[in-house]
Amino acid sequence: QVHMVESGGGSVQAGGSLRLACAASGYTYNTYCLGWFRQAPGQEREGVAGIDSDAWIKYADSVKGRFTISQDKDKNTLHLQMNNLKPEDTAMYYCAIRNGYCHLAAPGEFGYWGPGTQVTVSS
């Protein structure tokens, strides 16, 4: 079975940092994308960052220069380092995996999701 579990969310002031983690296990895809998504109340789910099995990385324009995605294959863990956080980053953050390369605009193609971790950024 594929299991995805996020951790590391919390409340932080604008300009602060958080580091999210995702324990990802049980997947057997040769080609895959591990992605971070976020969703605020009443908003569409937004692709934040993705890293594929060849270590190619994509970021949403809104987080470039502030967020860094990484994968520790030995520990089966995905991370999202979030620096210079802004109030508009407030959302529930999810990790997910799909068979194939990263297409952040297509969250429906990601087959397995974690339950999410809340990030709240105050001004």
Side-chain angles (χ1 to χ4, degrees), residues 73-84:
K73 291 185 176 181
D74 291 335
K75 298 180 180 179
N76 297 118
T77 304
L78 180 72
H79 294 277
L80 185 68
Q81 179 67 44
M82 305 187 295
N83 297 327
N84 192 24

Side-chain angles (χ1 to χ4, degrees), residues 34-48:
L34 289 162
W36 286 100
F37 295 80
R38 65 188 182 187
Q39 188 168 24
Q43 304 275 57
E44 293 289 317
R45 187 162 296 190
E46 175 190 15
V48 175

Side-chain angles (χ1 to χ4, degrees), residues 38 62-63 66-67 84-91 93 119 121:
R38 65 188 182 187
S62 59
V63 306
R66 299 189 298 122
F67 291 10
N84 192 24
L85 283 161
K86 303 176 180 180
E88 50 262 45
D89 295 318
T90 296
Y93 282 71
V119 171
V121 184

